[in-house]
Amino acid sequence: MTSRGAGTAFSRKNYRLSTEPEKSKVTGIVNSRLLNDYLHRVFTNADGNQPAAAYRKHLTFQNLQEHLDRLLAEENGSEDSRDQVAEGRLGPSTVVLDHTSGFEGLLLVDDDLLGVIGHSNFGSIRATTCVYKGKWIYEVLISSQGLMQIGWCTLNCRFNQEEGVGDTPDSYAYDGNRVRKWNVTTTNYGKSWAAGDIVSCLIDLDEGTIAFCLNGISLGTAFDNITRGAGMAYFPAISLSFKESVAFNFGSLEGYRPLQDPPIADLVKARKLLGYLKNVIHIGIDVTEGKLVEKDTSMWQLQGEPTVLITLAHIFNYFSPLMCKVYLVEDVLMTFLLSILERGGAVEAHPLIQQLLDLMWLLMEEYEVHECLKQLLMSLLRAYRFSPIIPDLGLQIHYLRLTIAVLKHEKSRKYLLSNVLFDVLRSVVFFYIKSPLRVEEAGLQELIPTTWWPNRFTKEGKESKEVKEESAEERLRRRAYERGCQRLKKRIEVVEGLQVQILKLLLNNKDRGGGEASRYIFLNKFRKFLQENASNRGNLTVLCPPEYMVCFLHRLIAALRFFWDGHKVKTPAALSSEEAYVPPQLFYNGKVDYFDLQRLGGLLSHLKKTLKDDLAAKANVLIDPAELQAVTMDDLDEDEESATSAAQSQRPSAALAIGGALARPGWLSSPTLGRANRFLSTAAVSLMNPRRPLGTQEKIKVRTLSVEQRTEEDIEGSHGNEGLLLGRPPEEPDQPITENSLLEVLDGIVMMYNLSVHQQLGKMVGVSDDVNEYAMALKDTEEKISRCPKRRRDIHEELLKSQKVFSEKLNHLSRRLAWINVTIYSKEKMQDVYWLLRVCIRTIEHGDRTGSLFAFMPEFYLSVAMNSYSALKNYFSPVNSMEELPGYEETLMRLAAILAKHFADSRIVGTDIRDSLMQALASYVCYPHSLRAVERIPEEQRISMMKNLLAPYEQRPWAQTNWILVRLWRGCGFGYRYTRLPHLLKTKPEDASLPSLQKPCPSTLLQRHMADLLRSDRDLAPSFLNSVLNQLNWAFSEFIGMIQEIQQAAERLERNFVDSRQLKVCATCFDLSVSLLRVLEMTVTLAPEIFLDWNRPSSELLLRRLAQLLNQVLNRVTAERNLFDRVVNLRLPGLESVDHYPILVAVTGILVRLLVDTDVQGAERATAVLLADPCFQLRSIQYLLGHAEPSALAAAAPATDKRHFSLHTYTEYISAEELAKVDKMLSHLSEESKQAAATTLPTSEEDLCPICYAHPISAIFRPCSHKSCKACINQHLMNNKDCFFCKATITGVDDFTKPASS
């Protein structure tokens, strides 16, 4: 490489080195003898020896450059020969992955084009260089041990989402996941690989063979006699499945040539120059004594010595260009910086790195420093990501310490934040601790030598009721296992502490020297990061994997709380992090961009139009008229957009920020984000910053500011400007919360949890489930071994083999579970999620107080409140108990109040979020703890909740509210104390944690509220009950129609299967029918007068409708050899819940309450209505107790094994008292039906109702005088006011009595 200087002086970064000797006295350069000794000590020969003083050339700054050129030219004589193109190779000298045309499927390729992550089913990619002659090698670093095929392919190979490298002719691959080799067909080959392993791929085109090595050890020849000849050239290639990742290295092995030669000449130069730099640091000049001295390198400082500075300038003149090359940065600079930190101690104890960075900024051109720092961080990130997990996590700690040391340098930190960390790198990787896929690779066997797993589950998968006494051996094992877990936890906490240190540096807001503080740069980058991950239309390559997001969230919470509580110490009036929340004005004042995320009240543009008056009145905020213009995405003119962005490329002043067109961030111009995002993402509001305190009547006109236009003043505020807190509503207390910038970080953390953290927490529970399954299998196997007869040695041996397999698997899984419990489900992580839950609860409570402005809150706050509670209850519970968290009971009650109030809140319009709130409330009332929390909320809120649950079922999703009412009743109904249906107990067990499988926990308090509401509100009861009866009629009719189709399909010879979706819908209709019957039972029990007090205008009609439906259900279900029986006996998968018991006991409960558990008058009325219904059949009531019809018994005499349904067979579920009531009811109905039959006079057809032909005419219509029975006309008038016959509008209905004379 040629020198940039010429002659005896050179210019670099404004340094002018003079040739005049007399200047040395002025500038402080040492005398010529001492300078000569110093330069010879610094710039030694290649062998490190110095010639004797008499033979040394006298060195000065005038001839130093010539001396340096000569030193650097040594050993570089063969450089030209190295640069010649290697025979047998085609392609660029620098080999990378071909991300432009040589790929198939969706892949995420790193910025250096050497790392790749699969993002589709089975993506493939090849390199840019191919070989056709000779011996060649490349290496792949495995980052995950999943499904991958690594090898060689030709240009003609065509891959797809199912076929990759090795699946086509002329492509050859090794798969260490399945331990096979692939070339169209597959056979066993090699060894299993793990994360951190290095696979070497060797091809010998002279012999026609392909071989592979794993960690330098040959696996033998995989393929021979491969296709060669004209037009045949092989590319390095890989196919990998979703989320698998590798990094390529085109290095060398003895006897094989690398696809890419290392830059040996540059490497030699760089190492020499680094040696000279080390010498400068080691050697000091004692000017007073006139001699050279050895210095402590760790505390070296430049101290403005001109001699040293000029010497360094000469070194950096050659060193700087080399530090722009990634190979040299990684091999030379990063290795040197790591060696400085290897001496141990805190990062602060090594100021030499800070001094070196100062030197780089001082002596290198700006673009060179930028490139060098970028390559250094990329190398660190790659090293951290691909380093194998070792027991003490030493490699990860090593790279994180250097990252901290680099980021401690203010100027470097700000450059990296502004241009590299979020723009080029996936820097979130620094906060991730990858889980070892092999226990051996992480040394977990040594760290946790004793394994243990809980045995608290029964064969049905439920927690065992009786707590067995732990044996002494088990106790010792558990304690040893827990000690091992603690050792692991301490090691991981060291890494987590370093990761938090990185974030503390990025969140520093005191480093304002030379521009904006780091925190405000981080905020803008962090917001953009959130947008890229929140936008479904965004570029998939920028999405952050959820496992990274989980770790990032926890580290960010730790750093945020550190700064939050630090501010509390300085400002005692501010809130502590335990009281943190996001104030409601952030959601509508436009200072924070929420992209196109849904608000509780709908689209932001709609809210700004409809609530602009409320904003002005409550928050003193005026929306700029330009924001209210209805602009559709299709009308958005591209030319106007570009003009807008050009006009606002410079930040407008406060006064100019009001007018002009819609501001548009420059980064939205990226084609990857799509045109639709460009408009929607700017639909927030921006502000004019007032220069003095606001008067009470003054309004602030607001407009959109893009993320990149914001400054510290926009965020923190100053001189009367409240920054992010602008537009405080009167309901919000006027007290400091914390620094405004921390509020935005907190808001971002909540959004992160919603984006992907919750799903990932649920996903990782699978390992715990696996442990439970294997523990149950092992326990079962051990029981079988103990019962196995001694003579059956063959069975005994097989059982022992199974026991060994299960034990080995459990040993592996229990160690892996220890890792996951420490990194994801530890007590500290649980406290983070709990803190986030409380933040959301406080934020929702504060937002709710603002009235209509609550509609501006993003939906994700409610989602995170519900999901974080679900995570605490379901995901952390095996290891840590939620009950131990501080303030748990109060938090539970506050969340219950939110669910109870907002599931029917008119301010919330999104159907998805309303459904989620309903489902959360339904789940809440299934568990005793959370149900008691609902009962503790203020009485007014409880009554309001029940009133909303009793709203008519039409025009709304009613199934969930019905389910809530059923759960409040379960445990009180007739035979309704079961957890699982009796006939399902012997089938496959389900997850015992499901809400539907919880033990009954009825709420008498909420039942009382329901009864009071139904009694007191004369309009509520009829509208609610009529809607329930309508839905029951629909659900049961649909169910009967579907089982008819199922029966017909099952009887066909040519098609003996039924669509699974149809079966599912059928079962759902049955379950809905049962739950609606239970709600009717609940209503009849709590407020029987609604049906039996005929002073109420609608009671008789409701009772007649109820009797009609009950008779229909009984007749369909109880008929001998009927449709229902046949379908139940088919026992089709998907129809497991369909059985006689659940529906018949629900109907029985209603009948018993109406006919037995009531006063005499009520029983008489109910009996009369039931018997008057033409569908009534006494045999249906007899069926309940197993009394079959005589004809049926005679017909079924041969089939003595057929058992009839009877409530008497369910004594575990139905009490003797309940059975006695059924017997009493049957006797009563038998007697009453006999009497009715004896006294009923024959009715002529003319006297019967012409609509139903079941009841006598009892009503006459006004004004048309047509007639019918009361039941028909009352039911008709619920939906229609026209006469049945003449379509005249009915104005009234009078009683009709047939004249005696006729």
Side-chain angles (χ1 to χ4, degrees):
M1 184 174 292
T2 58
S3 170
R4 300 188 200 177
T8 54
F10 66 90
S11 172
R12 181 170 185 80
K13 299 268 292 195
N14 298 323
Y15 288 102
R16 188 76 184 170
L17 308 181
S18 174
T19 60
E20 300 174 33
E22 63 271 15
K23 278 288 178 77
S24 63
K25 294 176 185 175
V26 181
T27 56
I29 294 173
V30 297
N31 64 61
S32 60
R33 182 188 60 78
L34 192 55
L35 177 63
N36 177 57
D37 290 347
Y38 176 72
L39 293 177
H40 272 291
R41 282 282 299 277
V42 170
F43 299 102
T44 56
N45 293 328
D47 56 5
N49 298 323
Q50 299 179 39
Y55 299 100
R56 284 194 318 218
K57 180 178 178 181
H58 189 75
L59 282 181
T60 64
F61 285 133
Q62 285 74 26
N63 62 7
L64 177 58
Q65 190 164 334
E66 182 188 340
H67 181 66
L68 253 175
D69 285 338
R70 187 169 63 254
L71 286 176
L72 294 175
E74 292 175 8
E75 299 183 8
N76 285 346
S78 58
E79 184 177 345
D80 296 337
S81 62
R82 283 195 188 94
D83 290 340
Q84 292 174 0
V85 177
E87 190 182 2
R89 175 186 182 283
L90 293 172
S93 58
T94 303
V95 187
V96 292
L97 297 174
D98 188 352
H99 68 295
T100 55
S101 59
F103 69 94
E104 170 62 41
L106 187 61
L107 301 150
L108 308 184
V109 181
D110 286 355
D111 190 62
D112 58 4
L113 303 181
L114 293 173
V116 62
I117 302 173
H119 210 77
S120 58
N121 187 38
F122 202 49
S124 305
I125 192 167
R126 64 171 184 261
T128 53
T129 300
C130 61
V131 292
Y132 59 89
K133 181 181 178 183
K135 294 176 162 185
W136 302 90
I137 182 177
Y138 74 94
E139 295 175 334
V140 176
L141 177 61
I142 305 292
S143 180
S144 59
Q145 68 172 22
L147 181 60
M148 293 180 276
Q149 292 172 200
I150 302 171
W152 303 84
C153 75
T154 64
L155 194 61
N156 295 325
C157 293
R158 292 290 175 264
F159 305 127
N160 55 41
Q161 294 286 311
E162 303 298 329
E163 294 183 338
V165 181
D167 296 325
T168 62
D170 301 329
S171 71
Y172 306 87
Y174 159 51
D175 174 3
N177 175 262
R178 293 174 286 190
V179 197
R180 305 183 78 78
K181 60 181 180 180
W182 297 80
N183 174 232
V184 183
T185 58
T186 178
T187 52
N188 292 334
Y189 172 79
K191 296 179 182 176
S192 174
W193 62 35
D197 287 348
I198 295 174
V199 176
S200 304
C201 306
L202 298 81
I203 187 167
D204 184 344
L205 288 158
D206 299 331
E207 298 293 328
T209 61
I210 289 176
F212 298 92
C213 299
L214 188 64
N215 297 323
I217 300 169
S218 175
L219 301 176
T221 300
F223 305 99
D224 51 22
N225 199 25
I226 64 172
T227 309
R228 291 171 288 168
M232 295 302 293
Y234 288 89
F235 292 83
I238 183 171
S239 298
L240 62 175
S241 55
F242 187 67
K243 288 291 173 68
E244 305 303 333
S245 59
V246 298
F248 281 75
N249 172 39
F250 298 102
S252 61
L253 190 73
E254 189 175 346
Y256 286 80
R257 289 210 58 180
L259 278 130
Q260 178 178 323
D261 286 316
I264 295 172
D266 286 345
L267 202 54
V268 170
K269 276 186 189 176
R271 286 175 179 159
K272 279 185 180 180
L273 290 162
L274 181 64
Y276 304 150
L277 179 59
K278 288 179 183 176
N279 291 341
V280 171
I281 295 168
H282 278 282
I283 301 162
I285 305 172
D286 188 340
V287 181
T288 55
E289 295 287 332
K291 64 178 184 180
L292 304 178
V293 292
E294 293 286 332
K295 291 183 73 174
D296 178 10
T297 58
S298 62
M299 304 307 291
W300 180 84
Q301 286 186 327
L302 186 56
Q303 296 177 334
E305 299 173 15
T307 307
V308 177
L309 181 60
I310 296 170
T311 306
L312 286 168
H314 278 87
I315 295 172
F316 271 89
N317 188 48
Y318 295 88
F319 195 55
S320 302
L322 298 176
M323 288 301 100
C324 296
K325 300 180 179 179
V326 60
Y327 195 100
L328 302 177
V329 169
E330 190 166 332
D331 192 272
V332 179
L333 181 63
M334 189 171 93
T335 307
F336 172 53
L337 296 177
L338 286 169
S339 69
I340 295 172
L341 292 173
E342 277 174 356
R343 298 163 193 164
V347 175
E348 292 80 1
H350 301 284
L352 178 57
I353 293 177
Q354 305 297 304
Q355 294 292 319
L356 289 170
L357 289 168
D358 278 336
L359 273 181
M360 288 167 63
W361 282 100
L362 184 69
L363 299 173
M364 292 171 72
E365 296 289 353
E366 200 167 78
Y367 72 88
E368 292 171 338
V369 189
H370 291 172
E371 187 62 24
C372 179
L373 286 171
K374 173 185 159 187
Q375 298 297 351
L376 177 61
L377 258 289
M378 282 180 67
S379 299
L380 276 170
L381 191 76
R382 187 164 47 246
Y384 176 79
R385 178 171 140 204
F386 288 111
S387 296
I389 302 287
I390 57 176
D392 63 353
L393 297 166
L395 296 172
Q396 283 73 17
I397 291 170
H398 208 36
Y399 298 124
L400 286 174
R401 277 164 55 83
L402 180 52
T403 306
I404 291 169
V406 172
L407 292 174
K408 272 186 173 296
H409 189 264
E410 182 180 325
K411 198 170 182 181
S412 302
R413 175 171 69 247
K414 287 184 181 178
Y415 165 71
L416 290 167
L417 249 179
S418 300
N419 301 285
V420 177
L421 287 178
F422 285 93
D423 299 85
V424 176
L425 299 181
R426 195 187 290 260
S427 57
V428 178
V429 174
F430 278 126
F431 310 110
Y432 176 54
I433 303 177
K434 64 181 178 182
S435 174
L437 296 168
R438 273 186 179 173
V439 167
E440 299 81 13
E441 77 180 84
L444 289 183
Q445 285 173 320
E446 294 76 29
L447 206 59
I448 308 175
T450 307
T451 58
W452 173 85
W453 48 87
N455 282 317
R456 63 178 191 279
F457 289 93
T458 62
K459 287 182 184 179
E460 285 77 27
K462 299 179 186 177
E463 291 205 24
S464 177
K465 289 180 186 175
E466 65 280 356
V467 179
K468 293 183 180 177
E469 191 64 35
E470 195 176 35
S471 68
E473 184 187 352
E474 279 184 341
R475 192 181 305 111
L476 285 173
R477 278 184 60 201
R478 176 175 58 79
R479 288 176 178 172
Y481 177 73
E482 287 171 353
R483 284 195 297 273
C485 293
Q486 280 300 115
R487 287 193 293 270
L488 175 64
K489 185 177 181 181
K490 285 177 183 174
R491 296 183 180 187
I492 286 177
E493 280 175 348
V494 174
V495 177
E496 292 178 348
L498 292 171
Q499 292 170 331
V500 173
Q501 274 190 52
I502 292 176
L503 278 170
K504 286 179 182 176
L505 289 169
L506 301 184
L507 287 172
N508 184 351
N509 66 335
K510 306 299 180 197
D511 55 346
R512 294 185 179 86
E516 212 171 9
S518 298
R519 182 183 294 177
Y520 306 104
I521 306 172
F522 173 82
L523 269 183
N524 293 338
K525 297 295 179 183
F526 181 48
R527 209 74 200 170
K528 181 180 174 182
F529 165 80
L530 291 172
Q531 174 165 20
E532 288 167 342
N533 284 277
S535 172
N536 292 328
R537 297 181 297 274
N539 186 353
L540 285 172
T541 57
V542 300
L543 291 180
C544 178
E547 57 270 25
Y548 294 5
M549 201 79 100
V550 173
C551 295
F552 187 29
L553 176 103
H554 288 298
R555 308 305 172 266
L556 198 51
I557 287 176
L560 171 72
R561 296 190 69 176
F562 169 81
F563 283 108
W564 194 300
D565 290 330
H567 180 74
K568 165 75 175 170
V569 172
K570 296 174 193 169
T571 316
L575 298 179
S576 71
S577 63
E578 280 297 330
E579 306 164 293
Y581 72 96
V582 179
Q585 53 265 48
L586 258 73
F587 308 135
Y588 58 74
N589 69 15
K591 287 283 192 174
V592 178
D593 186 5
Y594 288 100
F595 335 126
D596 52 351
L597 293 177
Q598 189 78 2
R599 309 299 182 103
L600 292 177
L603 287 175
L604 180 64
S605 54
H606 166 73
L607 291 174
K608 286 195 290 188
K609 286 179 187 176
T610 55
L611 297 177
K612 64 178 186 295
D613 294 337
D614 289 354
L615 280 173
K618 289 189 174 185
N620 285 345
V621 170
L622 292 178
I623 304 295
D624 190 302
E627 292 282 350
L628 299 177
Q629 293 173 357
V631 183
T632 65
M633 287 182 284
D634 294 331
D635 296 334
L636 200 61
D637 190 292
E638 291 291 339
D639 297 329
E640 286 178 14
E641 281 190 349
S642 56
T644 301
S645 57
Q648 298 201 359
S649 58
Q650 295 183 344
R651 175 172 169 74
S653 67
L656 292 175
I658 298 174
L662 195 67
R664 176 179 155 218
W667 52 270
L668 284 172
S669 304
S670 166
T672 59
L673 285 175
R675 186 166 176 266
N677 249 4
R678 302 181 194 171
F679 171 70
L680 286 177
S681 303
T682 57
V685 235
S686 105
L687 321 156
M688 177 181 77
N689 299 326
R691 295 301 178 199
R692 56 193 171 84
L694 294 168
T696 54
Q697 298 303 315
E698 291 180 339
K699 310 293 184 191
I700 307 152
K701 190 179 280 188
V702 295
R703 283 220 7 92
T704 302
L705 269 186
S706 73
V707 170
E708 285 145 345
Q709 288 177 317
R710 299 187 311 166
T711 63
E712 180 180 343
E713 190 178 325
D714 289 320
I715 295 169
E716 300 291 4
S718 64
H719 308 300
N721 166 28
E722 294 180 274
L724 289 186
L725 298 181
L726 191 100
R728 181 175 60 84
E731 298 84 1
E732 188 65 13
D734 186 11
Q735 73 168 95
I737 301 173
T738 186
E739 295 169 285
N740 292 356
S741 49
L742 297 180
L743 292 173
E744 187 173 336
V745 176
L746 176 58
D747 176 75
I749 288 171
V750 178
M751 194 189 297
M752 273 173 65
Y753 186 90
N754 184 61
L755 290 177
S756 57
V757 171
H758 181 72
Q759 293 88 326
Q760 183 65 15
L761 288 177
K763 199 170 148 190
M764 297 307 291
V765 174
V767 178
S768 176
D769 295 340
D770 290 345
V771 169
N772 294 332
E773 283 184 21
Y774 277 102
M776 283 162 54
L778 179 63
K779 190 177 176 183
D780 187 46
T781 306
E782 287 171 347
E783 287 175 2
K784 287 177 180 174
I785 290 172
S786 64
R787 296 197 308 265
C788 182
K790 291 181 181 179
R791 65 180 184 276
R792 296 305 306 267
R793 191 164 293 180
D794 55 336
I795 296 176
H796 193 261
E797 286 176 2
E798 288 299 318
L799 287 171
L800 287 175
K801 285 181 186 175
S802 299
Q803 183 189 29
K804 184 182 177 184
V805 169
F806 291 144
S807 295
E808 287 176 355
K809 190 70 178 175
L810 273 168
N811 285 333
H812 170 83
L813 283 174
S814 65
R815 292 187 176 105
R816 186 151 179 248
L817 185 61
W819 183 283
I820 291 169
N821 284 340
V822 169
T823 54
I824 297 175
Y825 299 120
S826 70
K827 189 173 183 179
E828 292 75 17
K829 309 295 185 298
M830 185 181 194
Q831 287 166 345
D832 282 348
V833 176
Y834 181 60
W835 178 79
L836 207 56
L837 166 63
R838 288 162 69 98
V839 165
C840 289
I841 288 173
R842 280 189 289 269
T843 302
I844 294 163
E845 288 171 346
H846 279 263
D848 181 35
R849 291 175 202 144
T850 62
S852 58
L853 299 185
F854 180 59
F856 281 97
M857 181 179 285
E859 284 184 353
F860 65 76
Y861 273 89
L862 278 169
S863 299
V864 172
M866 294 181 283
N867 289 336
S868 55
Y869 168 71
S870 170
L872 290 167
K873 184 163 64 73
N874 298 320
Y875 304 156
F876 290 86
S877 53
V879 186
N880 300 291
S881 173
M882 191 178 172
E883 284 82 357
E884 297 171 5
L885 294 165
Y888 161 72
E889 296 287 346
E890 186 212 357
T891 303
L892 216 57
M893 190 263 288
R894 288 167 72 180
L895 181 59
I898 286 170
L899 296 175
K901 180 171 185 179
H902 297 300
F903 84 91
D905 192 338
S906 59
R907 295 170 295 180
I908 301 174
V909 300
T911 52
D912 288 347
I913 191 69
R914 288 173 75 97
D915 286 349
S916 298
L917 285 163
M918 196 90 73
Q919 288 167 16
L921 183 61
S923 174
Y924 225 71
V925 299
C926 291
Y927 301 87
H929 245 95
S930 47
L931 178 60
R932 302 298 163 248
V934 175
E935 293 178 343
R936 288 198 306 273
I937 66 177
E939 184 176 359
E940 184 185 344
Q941 291 184 21
R942 292 198 304 268
I943 293 172
S944 175
M945 176 188 80
M946 292 308 298
K947 194 167 185 177
N948 287 322
L949 289 172
L950 296 175
Y953 281 5
E954 280 84 14
Q955 309 299 321
R956 71 185 182 94
W958 54 269
Q960 284 292 352
T961 53
N962 194 75
W963 163 250
I964 293 170
L965 292 172
V966 168
R967 284 303 309 192
L968 298 178
W969 178 243
R970 191 172 189 172
C972 296
F974 183 93
Y976 201 33
R977 290 170 291 278
Y978 55 81
T979 302
R980 297 187 75 200
L981 289 167
H983 68 285
L984 290 180
L985 286 177
K986 295 177 183 178
T987 61
K988 185 183 175 186
E990 297 175 69
D991 182 1
S993 66
L994 289 174
S996 57
L997 294 180
Q998 298 312 302
K999 292 178 182 176
C1001 52
S1003 171
T1004 52
L1005 176 64
L1006 296 177
Q1007 288 175 20
R1008 193 163 65 245
H1009 289 323
M1010 177 177 172
D1012 292 343
L1013 282 166
L1014 290 172
R1015 288 194 192 104
S1016 60
D1017 193 331
R1018 294 260 168 166
D1019 295 327
L1020 176 67
S1023 61
F1024 168 67
L1025 287 168
N1026 274 314
S1027 67
V1028 172
L1029 290 167
N1030 288 342
Q1031 300 300 348
L1032 175 59
N1033 186 34
W1034 166 83
F1036 191 71
S1037 300
E1038 286 291 311
F1039 167 69
I1040 294 299
M1042 285 184 184
I1043 61 172
Q1044 285 174 344
E1045 293 176 18
I1046 290 167
Q1047 171 67 15
Q1048 290 166 6
E1051 287 177 349
R1052 286 193 209 117
L1053 294 174
E1054 71 277 6
R1055 179 172 177 253
N1056 57 357
F1057 64 90
V1058 183
D1059 183 14
S1060 59
R1061 285 174 300 179
Q1062 188 180 7
L1063 293 173
K1064 190 174 180 181
V1065 173
C1066 180
T1068 303
C1069 286
F1070 179 79
D1071 294 340
L1072 285 174
S1073 302
V1074 173
S1075 64
L1076 287 162
L1077 284 165
R1078 286 297 184 183
V1079 168
L1080 288 169
E1081 180 193 18
M1082 181 183 185
T1083 312
V1084 168
T1085 306
L1086 296 175
E1089 60 268 32
I1090 295 170
F1091 292 94
L1092 301 176
D1093 179 5
W1094 285 4
N1095 293 323
R1096 288 171 171 259
S1098 56
S1099 292
E1100 187 181 354
L1101 171 64
L1102 287 171
L1103 186 59
R1104 289 187 187 281
R1105 290 197 67 195
L1106 178 63
Q1108 184 183 16
L1109 279 167
L1110 293 179
N1111 282 324
Q1112 286 178 8
V1113 172
L1114 280 171
N1115 293 342
R1116 290 285 190 175
V1117 175
T1118 60
E1120 287 291 334
R1121 298 186 303 281
N1122 69 354
L1123 182 66
F1124 187 87
D1125 262 349
R1126 290 200 295 271
V1127 171
V1128 166
N1129 291 331
L1130 287 174
R1131 295 295 172 202
L1132 296 172
L1135 288 185
E1136 292 90 352
S1137 63
V1138 178
D1139 193 67
H1140 293 81
Y1141 180 83
I1143 197 162
L1144 288 180
V1145 289
V1147 172
T1148 306
I1150 298 172
L1151 291 173
V1152 166
R1153 187 69 187 86
L1154 288 171
L1155 301 171
V1156 179
D1157 293 341
T1158 188
D1159 56 35
V1160 176
Q1161 186 184 28
E1164 287 175 355
R1165 286 176 178 170
T1167 306
V1169 169
L1170 194 67
L1171 295 178
D1173 187 84
C1175 298
F1176 174 76
Q1177 297 180 24
L1178 186 62
R1179 66 153 190 83
S1180 297
I1181 309 298
Q1182 294 168 338
Y1183 182 93
L1184 299 174
L1185 296 173
H1187 302 166
E1189 294 176 274
S1191 58
L1193 284 172
T1200 52
D1201 59 332
K1202 181 170 183 276
R1203 296 180 61 189
H1204 289 280
F1205 176 85
S1206 173
L1207 294 177
H1208 286 294
T1209 58
Y1210 295 93
T1211 51
E1212 289 183 26
Y1213 304 94
I1214 303 172
S1215 66
E1217 184 186 354
E1218 288 174 329
L1219 285 171
K1221 288 180 180 179
V1222 179
D1223 284 328
K1224 185 178 177 182
M1225 178 183 75
L1226 179 58
S1227 303
H1228 171 72
L1229 285 174
S1230 300
E1231 186 63 33
E1232 289 294 324
S1233 61
K1234 285 177 186 175
Q1235 290 183 10
T1239 58
T1240 302
L1241 296 171
T1243 307
S1244 69
E1245 192 173 320
E1246 292 177 1
D1247 296 333
L1248 288 176
C1249 168
I1251 302 301
C1252 65
Y1253 283 95
H1255 305 290
I1257 293 171
S1258 57
I1260 184 167
F1261 316 155
R1262 289 200 310 266
C1264 60
S1265 299
H1266 285 111
K1267 306 177 190 71
S1268 77
C1269 66
K1270 280 186 180 176
C1272 287
I1273 187 58
N1274 286 341
Q1275 193 162 346
H1276 177 67
L1277 289 176
M1278 287 169 58
N1279 302 309
N1280 200 323
K1281 301 299 180 188
D1282 296 340
C1283 173
F1284 288 115
F1285 309 102
C1286 65
K1287 302 302 178 188
T1289 302
I1290 298 173
T1291 59
V1293 178
D1294 298 325
D1295 290 343
F1296 174 78
T1297 307
K1298 185 177 178 183
S1301 59
S1302 57

